[in-house]
Amino acid sequence: MAQCVQSVQELIPDSFVPCVAALCSEEAERLTRLNHLSFAELLKPFSRLTSEVHMRDPNNQLHIIKNLKIAVSNIITQPPQPGAIRKLLNDVVSGSQPAEGLVANVITAGDYDLNISDRSVKASVPWYSNWKDMLMELQESSLYTATTPWFESYRETFLQSMPASDHEFLNHYLACMLVASSSEAEPVEQFSKLSQEQHQIQHNSDYSYPKWFIPNTLKYYVLLHDVSSGDEQRAESIYEEMKQKYGTQGCYLLKINSRTSNRASDEQIPDPWSQYLQKNSIQNQESYEDGPGTITSNKNSDNNLLSLDGLDNEVKDGLPNNFRAHPLQLDSSSDPSNSIDGPDHVKSTSLLHETKKANTGIIHGACLTLTDHDRIRQFIQEFTFRGLLPHIEKTIRQLNDQLISRKGLSRSLFSATKKWFSGSKVPEKGINELKNTSGLLYPPEAPELQIRKMADLCFLVQHYDLAYSCYHTAKKDFLNDQAMLYAAGALEMAAVSAFLHPGAPRPYPAHYMDTAIQTYRDICKNMVLAERCVLLSAEILKSQSKYSEAAALLIRLTSEDSDLRSALLLEQAAHCFINMKSPMVRKYAFHMILAGHRFSKAGQKKHALRCYCQAMQVYKGKGWSLAEDHINFTIGRQSYTLRQLDNAVSAFRHILINESKQSAAQQGSFLREYLYVYKNVSQLSPDGPLPQLPLPYINSSATRVFFGHDRRPADGEKQAATHISLDQEYDYESSQQWRELEEQVVALVNKGVIPSNFHPTQYCLNSYSDNSRFPLAVVEEPITVEMAFRNPLKVPLLLTDLSLLWKFQPKDFSGKNNEVKELVISKPEMIGAEVISEFLINSEESKVARLKLFPHHIGELHILGVVYNLGTIQGSTTIDGIGALPGCHAGNHCLSMTVRGRQDLEIQGPRLNNTKEEKTSIKYGPDRRLDPIITEEMPLLEVFFIHFPTGLLCGEIRKAYVEFVNVSKCPLTGLKVVSKRPEFFTFGGNTAVLTPLSPSASENCSAYKTVVTDSTSVCAALTSSASSVDFGIGTGSQPEVIPVPLPDTVLLPGASVQLPMWLRGPDEEGVHEINFLFYYESVKRQPKIRHRILRHTAVVCTSRSLNVRATACRSNSLEDEEGRGGNMLVFVDVENVNTSEAGVKEFHIVQVSSSSKHWKLQKSVNLSENKDAKLASREKGKFCFKAVRCKEKEAATQSSEKYTFADIIFGNEQIISSASPCADFFYRSLSFELKKPPAQPSVQTEKQSVEDAVRLIQKCSEVDLNIVVLWKAYVVEDSKQLILEGQHHVILRAIGKEAFSYPQKQEPPEMELLKFFRPENTTVSSRPSVEQLSNLIKASLHYPESFNHPFHQKSLCLVPVTLLLSNCSKADVDVIVDLRHKTTSPEALEIHGSFTWLGQTQYKLQLKSEEIHTLQLKACFVHTGVYNLGTPRVFAKLSDQDTVFETSQQNSMPALIIINNV
């Protein structure tokens, strides 16, 4: 139980005190009424004696009484009605609330912080044993338990308002004060009248109430004298007369009202009455008049009266008005059994307010001085010493004598004892076995009742030893007679007496109390008495720290008949659980909830709310979400009834924002309650700021902001640039690629340097982008904010009138006038805002909403949050989006109730982690994505692609068109496009305009420029030349950045331009994403934004077409037309690797062109005369071409950038390979090679010669011939034949090395063993490779193919053979020719027979630069047969080098000769 102000040793004696009646004349009542008090109230503060009192017990032993208190009350002749008592108790409890704003003392122990009313206690979870010591200290600390003043007030009022009953005498009147005034005409006569009245009330059978202790009640005559107005001498004389008549012990002269009430109140007289009257002004709704007669309750209470009715002097039943109905009497109109929650309850509350108002200004005791206070105190002392205690002492003796003298005593004491001890009857029989004779009534003079009377008297004067033995005796008698009500009363008081006995020779008999409670409750059906037992017993158990027993007792008495009692007892039980040695916190919380529920049923809303709040402390954050929901819901409801709307809102908010495990229906009802409460809150302050709504959740960090217009959809063949939109997912890699592209083009525009203030353009801001700077938006271009909503509930949420909340500060950034205009919160002419009329989020759904703002003015914009009406949909728990709701149209949901509110978007920036300080602390940078700066107008470009393909063959050429539109009000210029794949597209070179289209090209819709040829020039090459500069490819420039050839380089507002664009399918098959970044500027320079960009990602799927591989080798014939040794053979292999999925029937090779600065194709040496070069699926074709060096004079006149193009045609029209688009793509494929920087010449002289030589050697094997294979593919599609065309490039770099048109896969290098020693020679030798050296000298043999010799005439056959040696390099070369070499391999011998060279076997000679030398040799044969003459070995070295090496012969064919016998 909770801590009480009084200890149980003080509480019980104060609850059972001697009762004294007061009967006043009207005049006497008038005198006390001057002080706004009745006579009984006047005595109230002084009713406790200040000194010890002595009396003698029947054995003549001196007995000391400490702190004796008497209760004086006016006589009331009607017993109080139960309904009225219930109402009174209800008001007492509701009037006592926990003190507000007390500072809580916090003690730390365990896991819980329990702030219980005005104290805070931390109690541990029971199973944490290591907290035990801490809890032991807590137990002893005075802060540990909390006070519950409402319970104490209830208990006090309950005990005092108990009606007197016949089976006990504790609250029967022992004496009666008869009070008259000295100012009356005949005071003594008045006393006689009053005495008769009292006698009539006590002895007349008409009056069953009040109850009197014994027939001869003590009468005490009091003469009131008003000092300020009365005649003192008269008063004294009357008092003398009274002493004569009633004896000095029986009367008293009390002088009061020493000062007039209208005196200046400069001296402050204390008001001891206020604590009794005002503190409990709500408790005792008793009535009294402002007239002479007063009605006072029969209660021995600390806190009596409160005036409520007006003046009413009627006399009823021939009695003066002071014997009217009991003050607790209900109005006749209302039913006594009326429940507190009925109309009655409402009335009492309104009454209460009036009473409070009425009572605030009244000063009690205004006419009394401190001397008067002492006189009243003295009067109470005199009355008790001289009148009351002698009377009690005498009564106890009389009763004792009676009991001893009567043989009834022997019957009761002896025969009963004998019976019990002989075992004929068990004294403490089980209650249920006993006959139900609770109806048995004893006559008033029955000896059993005399024992009970004596016990009660002893108890009242604190003689607990004697009281206990009397109660014990009476108990046996009553049980004998099976008078259960009497027995229970005796058991109850015996237990209390045993506990209160100071020596405590015997332990507290708790089982007596249990039996009494059970008897009262089950047999006598008297809950009031049972309740009194429980209250007393629980206090006693608590004082003995038997909390568990006390709690069990309290819980046992909770029942359905009284919610208020059950609530209070459950609350006390809860406090018991928390006061145990190991506090049972969860039991505490559970019983607090039960108490709260019963308080609620009893109409005690504030107490109910308090209980739930206290229990919430235990359940909060422990994962018991359903319990939390229940508590929060109840707290919300109770707060709402108490008009604590903010608390209600926050409680309902908690239910909604935690991840709820409730059913959908339950969540729906929670939400409806919440909306209802919220609605009421917002109606209280309609002009106040919008409240923050808890639903739906907004994931602030997922907010995305997009600057610009939405992308236009594709329009037929027109396809808008993809640019950037909110539908695209963020990808770090691609954003880096775009950034690099933008940096490339910006660097180019700014002469190769990226400006320091450059920041990549960001059109879409999200949690991955860099949001540390204020983003820039352009006036008149929309700003779209995408918010991520999530509905955590199982019921759909409907948001209506959803729009953004913003504030705007107009500013001029041009720097002319810098004054800041005032902040604009919402002016549509400055910023237009989009409103979404309905936004439905289904149960547990995440959904994004996009809201636009339209800035019409430059300045600073701050997007604060979102504002909307929150509601739900009526009559549905879930919406799966399939079926419409009953009674609802699809677009117009039936709304139940909506509240308008807002949610703020607060985005936390990235964690800072740069400096040491930032690393050690937790700091976050700013996130400014919601604070854009609105800048002046800028041009806005839109790009459309027409006939843009999605699928191509590898190498296929397709012509499309691009349309550029300026949709803004400013002209744009400086349009460029940048891409990582410049080889994919071209806008055509400068020559594109010059070359006329041939008629046949337009017929076939060919992308190429063609010229019809005559069929005579079969395999000869047609040459032309072009410069790479014309195609925008220079060695220094960036090939990725391509200026767009706009006419006049400016695009005016509203203008559009269409340009052709050729595309070539990439060489690798698969899906290609090709990024284009269009860059443009405003004609007028802007201070904030220098340029703008537009992005486009083209997705092209390529399928396999042809594979081309080529090899160049030295021709063995040494003379060309000029007689110079500069011929090459070029072998080109073309394979059709197309799988028939693309529907390609066959490929035709229509032309093979070469392009080089030094070489050109001369003619085709195809063996087959079949002109048509067709390749069906998986077929391979081999072409052989002769290549010659360009004429020196041609090469000399050309600049280094001029290329010679030679076309060898297999069809009947020539594709001009030096024009767009063929040359464009050729140059694009070359551009990567051109980007490589030229090798820097070395500075060190000693190495110089070696390196020069190496370079010379390398050069002679180099060749820079580029082959372009042009083809057509015939495709059948939808029974139509289409002709596709394309080109493949092969770049030949070196002789004898195979080159491919498609990228080769890199083989991963094999693993090597680690070497753990340092290599000897760390310098890298700059020796040329064997392969390069072997190409220095070209050797060829000239001989007859067949030779006839008559072997029968001459056995040796001699054949002359010429060996030509050609120096391919520009350096002098020493050559050794060795003829001694024999073929050793047996295979060679088998195939080609053996022969011998005659003459000199070794020749040494020196060849000058590019010199050709002839050696005449002789071969000698002895048989007919086929011989290989290619056996001479040729060694060469540079003249200034030491290394000798053999020239390679593997390229040359075997030199076969046939020797015939004739």
Side-chain angles (χ1 to χ4, degrees), residues 792-848:
L793 303 182
K794 297 188 180 80
V795 282
L797 295 177
L798 185 61
L799 313 185
T800 51
D801 297 342
L802 176 68
S803 63
L804 289 169
L805 204 60
W806 50 268
K807 66 176 184 190
F808 179 68
Q809 209 169 354
K811 272 192 180 175
D812 191 1
F813 298 110
S814 57
K816 288 168 196 152
N817 49 342
N818 267 344
E819 92 273 357
V820 177
K821 304 199 180 69
E822 83 291 344
L823 254 64
V824 181
I825 294 300
S826 52
K827 276 196 181 172
E829 63 271 15
M830 289 284 187
I831 307 281
E834 178 190 21
V835 178
I836 296 179
S837 59
E838 280 190 358
F839 186 73
L840 177 69
I841 312 175
N842 279 330
S843 57
E844 297 179 334
E845 181 188 22
S846 297
K847 193 171 178 182
V848 294

Side-chain angles (χ1 to χ4, degrees), residues 85 274 287 541 709 713 748 789 825 894 970 974 1038 1108 1269 1298:
I85 294 176
S274 58
S287 339
L541 289 168
H709 296 279
L748 185 80
F789 289 111
I825 294 300
C894 342
C970 313
Q1038 290 197 327
V1108 182
V1269 176
E1298 197 168 23

Side-chain angles (χ1 to χ4, degrees), residues 1238-1251:
Q1240 292 296 316
S1242 175
V1243 188
Q1244 299 159 319
T1245 46
E1246 65 271 14
K1247 281 192 182 171
Q1248 190 74 43
S1249 57
V1250 182
E1251 289 182 359

Side-chain angles (χ1 to χ4, degrees), residues 623-641:
W624 296 335
S625 63
L626 295 176
E628 271 189 73
D629 286 352
H630 170 76
I631 298 170
N632 271 317
F633 184 66
T634 315
I635 289 176
R637 277 213 156 155
Q638 299 291 6
S639 303
Y640 179 71
T641 5

